[in-house]
Amino acid sequence: MIEETFFSVRMRASKNGAHEHGGKHISGGEQISTYGNLKNVVNVLLEKALSHSRGNPDYMQIQFELIDKPITRLKPLHIVTNEVESVEEGQSIARNLLEKAGVPRESIENAYQQITENLELKGAILFDIRSGVRIDDRKKNGVRVSRMDWLPENFEKWAEYYKIPRSQRVKEALVLATKVNVHPATVAELCWSDDPEYITGYVSSKKLGYQRITKLKEYGDECGCRIFFVDGLSDIQSYINYLEKQPIFVQWEEENATRFN
């Protein structure tokens, strides 16, 4: 476990008031920081919120708090990129990958129905693959995964080894997917961004890794999606507590690496 003292730094920004008062979600983000690096991390998150393509926020909250429990280190999921020509092709691949991960076809279609019913969702939907229904009670807020990061130097070594651009967006998504999928109850995740200028999304699972799909929505679309498909979840609150409260670092070790395309 990591011995040094760390802080969880989180940001959320919205327009037309705070999220809980009906404001439009603009941006969110978080990092784990040492005390000495807090000012830099706050500035990074501030810049992210003030330069987002969803608009200019008129409400923002940035907070930090001491992490008072051991930080678990997780190996990153392996990454694969699926190049597609259209949203239809991308969504077809997404459905196929979810099925390969172990999600029944009927549950996949039921989950897609949830997407159309929750276009302004701020977090993730928890979807049970056996009953085929949403099982969290968060309504429009959804479940937000928190307290996670990848130390920059280690991320850059990983990116250099696999010849992957040092994209902050890929880093954040891969960290989240790794944390979500390491839990025994998680079968798979489906995600694409609410950023109108970013159309790449992904399916992730323990078996398939982090499968990027280069087109899961049309350019200019501000509707995002995040669904966690779960199985054998006897204690929903314990699962949500893990997602929201358990601190993790993604940690890559070259000696355990496997080359991939």
Side-chain angles (χ1 to χ4, degrees):
M1 295 298 176
I2 298 172
E3 300 290 340
E4 191 173 356
T5 299
F6 287 94
F7 294 80
S8 170
V9 190
R10 300 187 296 281
M11 175 275 292
R12 61 175 183 154
S14 56
K15 189 171 185 177
N16 299 322
H19 296 80
E20 56 267 31
H21 297 143
K24 174 187 174 182
H25 174 71
I26 297 297
S27 180
E30 72 167 82
Q31 294 188 28
I32 293 177
S33 173
T34 60
Y35 186 82
N37 198 43
L38 280 173
K39 184 181 293 187
N40 177 62
V41 168
V42 167
N43 286 335
V44 168
L45 294 174
L46 179 65
E47 176 63 24
K48 179 181 180 181
L50 294 180
S51 58
H52 204 281
S53 58
R54 282 177 64 86
N56 298 325
D58 55 28
Y59 172 88
M60 186 187 305
Q61 182 182 63
I62 299 179
Q63 66 183 65
F64 71 86
E65 61 182 323
L66 176 69
I67 294 175
D68 59 359
K69 60 173 67 176
I71 301 178
T72 302
R73 286 185 283 186
L74 304 175
K75 296 177 184 178
L77 295 174
H78 71 272
I79 183 171
V80 177
T81 298
N82 300 271
E83 298 281 352
V84 299
E85 298 297 325
S86 67
V87 173
E88 291 75 20
E89 182 185 359
Q91 290 291 353
S92 176
I93 288 176
R95 284 177 162 88
N96 289 336
L97 288 170
L98 288 170
E99 198 166 357
K100 286 181 180 179
V103 183
R105 185 172 301 177
E106 184 178 355
S107 289
I108 294 171
E109 298 309 318
N110 289 346
Y112 267 85
Q113 182 60 38
Q114 286 288 330
I115 297 171
T116 63
E117 295 173 1
N118 294 277
L119 295 179
E120 295 299 322
L121 195 72
K122 301 177 181 66
I125 289 172
L126 304 187
F127 197 86
D128 182 73
I129 67 169
R130 298 195 188 188
S131 63
V133 299
R134 181 180 180 180
I135 58 172
D136 66 277
D137 61 355
R138 298 297 183 84
K139 298 180 181 179
K140 289 292 185 181
N141 289 325
V143 177
R144 298 197 67 87
V145 187
S146 187
R147 293 166 177 79
M148 57 192 174
D149 208 346
W150 193 342
L151 295 177
E153 183 177 346
N154 186 259
F155 168 72
E156 289 170 8
K157 286 181 179 179
W158 171 86
E160 181 178 0
Y161 184 88
Y162 289 119
K163 309 303 180 187
I164 293 172
R166 294 172 174 82
S167 164
Q168 182 69 20
R169 193 185 293 272
V170 170
K171 172 187 168 184
E172 291 175 356
L174 184 51
V175 168
L176 187 148
T178 297
K179 178 176 181 179
V180 170
N181 281 280
V182 77
H183 194 284
T186 305
V187 177
E189 176 192 1
L190 171 66
C191 174
W192 59 85
S193 174
D194 60 5
D195 186 334
E197 297 181 352
Y198 191 72
I199 61 176
T200 295
Y202 67 87
V203 169
S204 62
S205 77
K206 299 176 187 67
K207 294 197 299 184
L208 303 176
Y210 176 78
Q211 297 269 348
R212 299 177 71 240
I213 303 170
T214 56
K215 196 168 188 179
L216 279 183
K217 69 173 190 177
E218 298 292 349
Y219 188 87
D221 185 349
E222 293 193 2
C223 295
C225 162
R226 192 180 299 278
I227 299 177
F228 302 152
F229 294 90
V230 299
D231 185 21
L233 192 56
S234 58
D235 187 343
I236 295 175
Q237 191 51 52
S238 175
Y239 182 71
I240 292 176
N241 186 69
Y242 164 77
L243 297 176
E244 294 180 337
K245 303 295 185 182
Q246 175 61 49
I248 69 101
F249 272 130
V250 168
Q251 179 74 28
W252 174 77
E253 302 295 341
E254 183 173 349
E255 56 266 29
N256 298 322
T258 302
R259 293 284 187 184
F260 51 76
N261 296 322

